[in-house]
Amino acid sequence: KVIEDAKKLGTSAIAVNGGEPLLRNDIFEIIEKIIDNKMLPVLMTNGTLLPKSRDQLGKIGLRYVIISFDSMIKEIYEKQRGISFEKALDGIEAAIKMREKYPGVEIHVSAVLTKNNQDDFINLVEYMTKRGIKVQISPIHNYLHIKEEISITDRQKIENLVTKLLEMKKDGYLIASSVGFIKHLVNFFCDNENIPKNYQCKVGYTNLFIDANMNVRPIYARM
C-alpha cells in the first residue's frame, strides 16, 4: 500500500534500506511491486547476502545497488561494520557479476568517512574505480553519541584528504559526491558545520523517509 500511495504522489524512485533489507523474505516481492508501479527501486545493502540473491534480483529488474563499504583493510572494515570483510567483498563481486549478466545495473559504494578509515580512503576510491563502482562519501554524523569517538579532528589530515579527493574527481575517478560536498568536509568535521552557510537544502521538499514503524518524515535526520 505504501508503494501504491507513493506512486500516486508522483514518486519516481524508492530506496529500500534498513537494517539489512535482504533479510526480508518478501524483498523480491517489494522490489517487483516498485517496478510494476514504474518507479526505480534502489537497494541499499551491506552486500553479504548478495551472492545468493543477485541472480533473482537481476531477473526481476533491479538495476541500482548501493553497498555500504568503508575500507580495504580488513581490521578497519570489521571494526567499523562488525561483519565479515570477506563476505562484504564477496557481495561487491556479486554485484559486478550481476551487472555483467544484466546490463544497466548501477553500483555505488556508500563509504562512511571516519577517523578509522581516513588514511585508507584513497585506496578505497582507487579500488572501486578500477571496478567501475562509484563511491559516495558519507561523513560520520553525531548518531547515538558516537561521532566524538571516531570523528576526524585533525584539520590538516582532512584538508589533505579533501585536496586529494578533489584532484581524483577532476582526473575521472568515480567519486559520486559533488565538488561542493567534498570541500565542505573540512568545515563539517572541524567546525561542526552540518551544512554550508547560506545553503538551502531542498531534500525536505523532494524526499520522504518512512521508518520501520511507518512514521513518515520529510528527511532522515540523524540527531
Side-chain angles (χ1 to χ4, degrees), residues 113 137 139 155 157-167 169-170 175-191 193-197 199:
L113 177 59
I137 305 169
R155 181 177 286 271
K157 275 198 169 186
I158 186 61
E159 286 180 349
N160 291 343
L161 178 58
V162 163
T163 298
K164 182 62 176 178
L165 288 171
L166 290 172
E167 290 174 356
K169 186 173 177 70
K170 184 178 180 180
I175 301 173
S177 305
S178 69
V179 169
F181 183 95
I182 297 170
K183 287 180 177 179
H184 182 66
L185 290 173
V186 176
N187 299 108
F188 176 86
F189 280 113
C190 299
D191 303 325
E193 187 179 290
N194 286 335
I195 59 174
K197 291 181 176 65
Y199 179 79

Side-chain angles (χ1 to χ4, degrees), residues 106-171:
E106 182 83 8
I107 309 171
H108 284 213
V109 156
S110 177
V112 177
L113 177 59
T114 72
K115 183 163 56 179
N116 296 334
N117 66 351
Q118 61 181 335
D119 294 330
D120 179 52
F121 210 81
I122 298 303
N123 293 331
L124 174 70
V125 174
E126 291 175 340
Y127 180 93
M128 295 302 166
T129 295
K130 288 177 182 177
R131 284 151 184 79
I133 299 173
K134 296 179 181 177
V135 177
Q136 298 177 348
I137 305 169
S138 301
I140 184 67
H141 283 64
N142 188 15
Y143 181 55
L144 298 180
H145 308 291
I146 62 172
K147 180 179 178 182
E148 291 79 6
E149 298 176 18
I150 58 176
S151 182
I152 298 173
T153 56
D154 188 321
R155 181 177 286 271
Q156 189 61 57
K157 275 198 169 186
I158 186 61
E159 286 180 349
N160 291 343
L161 178 58
V162 163
T163 298
K164 182 62 176 178
L165 288 171
L166 290 172
E167 290 174 356
M168 295 176 77
K169 186 173 177 70
K170 184 178 180 180
D171 290 341

Side-chain angles (χ1 to χ4, degrees), residues 199-209 216-221:
Y199 179 79
Q200 295 182 350
C201 180
K202 296 182 174 64
V203 173
Y205 298 95
T206 60
N207 292 33
L208 290 175
F209 172 72
V216 180
R217 308 169 190 267
I219 58 171
Y220 182 20

Side-chain angles (χ1 to χ4, degrees), residues 41-130:
V42 179
L43 178 68
M44 305 177 73
T45 173
N46 64 26
T48 58
L49 297 176
L50 270 179
K52 70 176 185 180
S53 59
R54 65 177 173 85
D55 197 51
Q56 190 171 351
L57 289 168
K59 281 181 180 178
I60 63 177
L62 180 69
R63 295 295 181 268
Y64 204 132
V65 181
I66 299 178
I67 301 172
S68 301
F69 196 88
D70 308 321
S71 176
M72 298 309 305
I73 299 174
K74 173 182 170 69
E75 292 76 16
I76 293 176
Y77 174 85
E78 293 186 350
K79 177 182 180 181
Q80 192 146 302
R81 288 284 166 183
I83 56 177
S84 167
F85 174 77
E86 289 79 11
K87 287 184 178 180
L89 265 186
D90 287 345
I92 289 173
E93 294 305 316
I96 293 172
K97 290 177 182 177
M98 180 180 166
R99 182 175 61 191
E100 291 170 351
K101 187 171 182 179
Y102 302 97
V105 172
E106 182 83 8
I107 309 171
H108 284 213
V109 156
S110 177
V112 177
L113 177 59
T114 72
K115 183 163 56 179
N116 296 334
N117 66 351
Q118 61 181 335
D119 294 330
D120 179 52
F121 210 81
I122 298 303
N123 293 331
L124 174 70
V125 174
E126 291 175 340
Y127 180 93
M128 295 302 166
T129 295
K130 288 177 182 177

